[in-house]
Amino acid sequence: MKTNKLYAIILIVSLLGLLSCSGKNNGPTTIEWWQFWTDPSIKPTLEKIVADYEAQNPDIKIKLTDLTWGNGHEKIVVAFSSGTAPDIVELGSDWIYEFASTGQLMPMSKDLVKDTSGYYGWPPAIYNNDIYAMPWILGTRVLYINRTLMIRAMKDSNFVPITFDQLKTLCFKIDSLGNGVRGFGSNAAEKHTLYKKFLPFFWSFGGRIISRNGNFAVISSQKGYDALKYYKNLSDSCSLVDTQRRIEDAFLAGKVGVIISGDWLLKRIRNEKINIDFMTALIPGPVYPGKSFVGGEYLSVSAKSPHRAEALKFIRYITDRENQLAFCKANYSANPSNKETANDKFFNDDPALQIFIKEINLSPFPAPDPQWVYIEDIIETMLEEVLFKGMPVADGLYAARGKIQKLIDNK
Amino acid sequence: MNSRRAVGSLFASPWILTFLIFWLFPLLYSLYLGFTDYRLLRPSFHWVGFQNFAALFSDSAFTEALKNTFYFVLGTIPVTTIVALLVALLVEKQFAGRTIFRSGYFMPSITSMVVIALIFTNLYSRGGYIHILAQILGLGPPENGFLLSNKTALMAIMAMDIWMSVGYYMLLFLAGLKSIPEELYEAAVVAGAGRTRQFFSITLPLLKPVALFIVVINTIKSFQIFTEIFVMTGGKSGTSTAVYFIYETGLSRFEFGYASAAAYILFLIIAVFSLAQFGLFQQRSLQ
């Protein structure tokens, strides 16, 4: 009797176990995705794209987890190091190398190689000749010019600065209008921001941080010197020096004539219904056009993800023509990675957005380098020393060169 | 007896376990990490001896951060302590509205540090009230605000820190003043001692234990300055401090070995300062 009871219990437990296992296998596969788009203007669109995907693929469930730019990087690093990374993770362009070089990301060349011609922004996604991320939403910075101030200063409503000399003339003339109006918005020592404002000048002058073979720091070349001297002159002579947000506030209030900013400012002007006559323009150069700073957000798959195929399928879906267009329209952003999306009427009919698309095509991505975070720090320190502590331009560049060379030597 | 001990140990075990797992182990493990090249995301790490410690002293970012920390500590502690004592002496007296003043001075101590830091960031900016006031007074404030200038950023944060801390230390001094027996002052009056003499011969000597406590905890707190820097300047404009450096190195770049070494250098500095302060006060007490 006792034995029968025991058999019965074992049978019931086994049956329950089998049922639970089969239930697990029959249910939808959950793909976990960590992403940074939490703004109320864009989140519903993102959720709709996800919901549509789930409706089309009933066997897949996408679990969205929001990150913030304040601590997202830390969370991703900890997740990778503890083996709890999600299947798909959104990464900033300058983080990909860090994770790819430590084996945290899944190589995707076989799956994505045929997509390369249809998308912008591949350089940061490539490490050791393998693709580790899919470009999604790119970002660049362009000139914003207050047309009211420009017309007053230049007496020409069609003026567009296409060379650095013309930019300087415009800024100085606006600055001389008086009444607290400044010509140019120059960034203060603000973390992760200052170097992004200087590098467009640096690259436009033809400067390089590291030699092509990767063995030498060459930031202190004549071109680098010319770029920093030019930027310092603008900053010292006719600029409002402040944080990015306050520079943008002053621009929108008609207190600064020319600033460098991203497409978030277009969105702000539209959302806050700010009455300002402005235009966007490509970054000038010694010879037209110059170059800007380009970055972006990329989608990668964790090397340990058990759902590789499903994750890739979803990445393809969210970066396709229609979904990128829906995303950019909701966000009023100008930088889809998908070339077909970038050629859509939505962008072609909007001159302000069009400038961003053109600037992305003209500008280089920062060299992918695991040491980039340190190089960024060195450049920011150099700028702080030269712009705000009175260090001579050549000395600042020379010191930065030495520090970067040390990084290269210790690699 | 044994069972009583076992029950006692059982009740104490949650705390002991917490202490062992979350305090002692990380403390010792971080000391070990200080001698390694451990970085998160790296599959392995190696023993590097004193290499991290040596590198730190030739790292200009660390030495600059350490210099700023000393500047902050030496600049704020004497001022905070003296102002807190003076305010305590003032609000100890009986006068109308005394409670309002006491509450007013204490209020910043119970307000969120982040909130205060954000408010002061605005006050110090161009167009902020403090900036405008400095212009009106002809003090020649930096054109772009106090926090964007290397000459004034750290001083501005120090001024805010003093304003914020005075109330708490005032309260401690008030408690110390209350504990001084009234008879001592009465006897001093009978002996013909004036108010100044009473202050230097009775009040100050008897406040020494409170003053020691204040100086020691203020020293430790000041060496650990972080939140204000994080919120107000992000370590820019010459305001990076030792803890901010450790945060950047450990939690932004994930160089745990290097950051642990820096943390232990800071720990040693705080320990030396605290012991020196204890010694100094004890020596004075004996005299």
Side-chain angles (χ1 to χ4, degrees), chain B residues 123-135 141-143 145-146:
Chain B
L123 292 175
Y124 284 142
S125 302
R126 188 188 33 243
Y129 290 137
I130 293 178
H131 193 259
I132 292 172
L133 186 69
Q135 278 175 329
E143 189 193 345
F146 289 95

Side-chain angles (χ1 to χ4, degrees), chain B residues 95-162:
Chain B
F95 61 92
R98 184 175 73 156
T99 314
I100 295 172
F101 276 95
R102 283 183 174 184
S103 311
Y105 282 117
F106 188 62
M107 200 75 86
S109 308
I110 52 167
T111 308
S112 156
M113 174 95 79
V114 174
V115 171
I116 290 177
L118 287 172
I119 291 170
F120 269 80
T121 302
N122 281 318
L123 292 175
Y124 284 142
S125 302
R126 188 188 33 243
Y129 290 137
I130 293 178
H131 193 259
I132 292 172
L133 186 69
Q135 278 175 329
I136 292 169
L137 295 174
L139 298 176
E143 189 193 345
N144 303 310
F146 289 95
L147 296 176
L148 295 180
S149 162
N150 284 282
K151 287 179 186 158
T152 54
L154 191 58
M155 274 198 289
I157 295 173
M158 286 161 67
M160 183 198 77
D161 191 79
I162 291 167

Side-chain angles (χ1 to χ4, degrees), chain A residues 24-69:
Chain A
K24 204 175 178 182
N25 287 340
N26 288 340
T29 303
T30 300
I31 304 288
E32 201 174 353
W33 178 26
W34 286 9
Q35 62 84 34
F36 288 86
W37 296 93
T38 55
D39 189 291
S41 67
I42 187 67
K43 189 75 191 288
T45 305
L46 203 60
E47 284 168 343
K48 187 182 176 307
I49 293 172
V50 167
D52 289 348
Y53 183 78
E54 286 174 345
Q56 290 166 29
N57 301 273
D59 55 332
I60 302 285
K61 176 120 189 71
I62 306 292
K63 187 182 166 198
L64 274 179
T65 301
D66 295 343
L67 299 174
T68 64
W69 290 109

Side-chain angles (χ1 to χ4, degrees), chain A residues 240 242 246 374 377 384, chain B residues 39 126 237 248 253 255:
Chain A
L240 170 90
D242 216 322
R246 287 173 64 91
Y374 303 100
D377 210 34
E384 213 180 325
Chain B
R39 288 171 75 164
R126 188 188 33 243
S237 307
E248 276 281 298
R253 296 178 189 163
E255 294 178 24

Side-chain angles (χ1 to χ4, degrees), chain B:
Chain B
M1 193 62 194
N2 274 347
S3 75
R4 276 175 64 87
R5 191 172 287 173
V7 170
S9 303
L10 194 69
F11 275 107
S13 61
W15 185 87
I16 291 169
L17 278 176
T18 311
F19 173 76
L20 290 175
I21 296 168
F22 295 108
W23 287 89
L24 196 62
F25 172 70
L27 202 70
L28 297 176
Y29 190 58
S30 66
L31 178 62
Y32 166 67
L33 288 183
F35 293 93
T36 69
D37 60 356
Y38 179 49
R39 288 171 75 164
L40 221 58
L41 292 180
R42 248 195 214 167
S44 62
F45 57 95
H46 311 95
W47 179 265
V48 293
F50 283 94
Q51 200 175 297
N52 286 334
F53 295 88
L56 277 165
F57 286 106
S58 58
D59 183 339
S60 59
F62 180 66
T63 49
E64 169 96 7
L66 217 51
K67 195 182 84 189
N68 289 339
T69 309
F70 274 106
Y71 186 63
F72 186 90
V73 170
L74 299 175
T76 55
I77 291 173
V79 181
T80 308
T81 312
I82 292 167
V83 173
L85 176 61
L86 292 176
V87 173
L89 290 168
L90 285 174
V91 299
E92 195 214 4
K93 296 182 192 312
Q94 286 289 346
F95 61 92
R98 184 175 73 156
T99 314
I100 295 172
F101 276 95
R102 283 183 174 184
S103 311
Y105 282 117
F106 188 62
M107 200 75 86
S109 308
I110 52 167
T111 308
S112 156
M113 174 95 79
V114 174
V115 171
I116 290 177
L118 287 172
I119 291 170
F120 269 80
T121 302
N122 281 318
L123 292 175
Y124 284 142
S125 302
R126 188 188 33 243
Y129 290 137
I130 293 178
H131 193 259
I132 292 172
L133 186 69
Q135 278 175 329
I136 292 169
L137 295 174
L139 298 176
E143 189 193 345
N144 303 310
F146 289 95
L147 296 176
L148 295 180
S149 162
N150 284 282
K151 287 179 186 158
T152 54
L154 191 58
M155 274 198 289
I157 295 173
M158 286 161 67
M160 183 198 77
D161 191 79
I162 291 167
W163 174 85
M164 196 171 63
S165 314
V166 155
Y168 176 64
Y169 299 123
M170 169 205 77
L171 203 71
L172 296 178
F173 273 125
L174 268 180
L177 287 170
K178 287 275 172 225
S179 68
I180 299 174
E182 197 56 39
E183 299 81 36
L184 291 178
Y185 291 106
E186 286 166 11
V189 171
V190 172
R195 303 196 83 157
T196 315
R197 185 69 196 270
Q198 286 175 32
F199 176 73
F200 284 105
S201 299
I202 300 171
T203 312
L204 262 192
L206 292 178
L207 278 180
K208 217 171 259 178
V210 179
L212 171 66
F213 176 69
I214 287 172
V215 170
V216 170
I217 59 164
N218 202 1
T219 304
I220 295 169
K221 180 181 144 283
S222 300
F223 268 116
Q224 293 175 344
I225 168 107
F226 171 75
T227 312
E228 298 91 321
I229 306 293
F230 183 78
V231 175
M232 296 172 84
T233 61
K236 292 290 175 185
S237 307
T239 61
S240 179
T241 57
V243 175
Y244 192 84
F245 175 88
I246 293 165
Y247 162 79
E248 276 281 298
T249 312
L251 295 173
S252 193
R253 296 178 189 163
F254 299 100
E255 294 178 24
F256 281 3
Y258 200 54
S260 297
Y264 266 89
I265 290 175
L266 182 65
F267 168 74
L268 283 176
I269 292 170
I270 295 175
V272 167
F273 259 73
S274 301
L275 289 172
Q277 283 162 353
F278 271 111
L280 200 72
F281 273 83
Q282 270 177 350
Q283 209 176 31
R284 290 264 167 91
S285 298
L286 288 173
Q287 283 170 359

Side-chain angles (χ1 to χ4, degrees), chain A residues 162-291:
Chain A
I162 59 170
T163 65
F164 278 146
D165 286 341
Q166 288 176 347
L167 175 66
K168 193 184 262 185
T169 305
L170 173 64
C171 293
F172 274 78
K173 284 199 171 179
I174 290 176
D175 201 62
S176 62
L177 291 173
N179 284 334
V181 171
R182 303 307 311 260
F184 185 69
S186 177
N187 285 79
E190 197 180 359
K191 208 169 162 52
H192 303 311
T193 306
L194 181 56
Y195 81 98
K196 288 179 185 168
K197 294 303 155 60
F198 166 67
L199 285 181
F201 293 89
F202 181 77
W203 282 321
S204 297
F205 268 99
R208 286 188 67 89
I209 298 168
I210 297 172
S211 62
R212 283 181 205 280
N213 63 11
N215 292 336
F216 303 102
V218 290
I219 192 170
S220 57
S221 65
Q222 181 64 44
K223 288 165 182 168
Y225 177 82
D226 292 342
L228 186 51
K229 203 173 156 204
Y230 178 89
Y231 188 79
K232 183 172 165 55
N233 184 244
L234 265 190
S235 181
D236 288 350
S237 311
C238 63
S239 287
L240 170 90
V241 181
D242 216 322
T243 58
Q244 181 65 24
R245 175 72 190 196
R246 287 173 64 91
I247 286 172
E248 288 168 4
D249 289 346
F251 175 78
L252 298 176
K255 292 289 179 190
V256 179
V258 182
I259 67 169
I260 294 177
S261 188
D263 57 359
W264 60 83
L265 191 60
L266 290 179
K267 189 176 165 186
R268 187 176 166 199
I269 292 169
R270 190 181 74 162
N271 289 355
E272 294 178 18
K273 298 184 176 63
I274 295 167
N275 185 21
I276 178 171
D277 183 11
F278 76 100
M279 60 187 268
T280 55
L282 296 175
I283 300 288
V287 189
Y288 186 76
K291 295 178 170 85

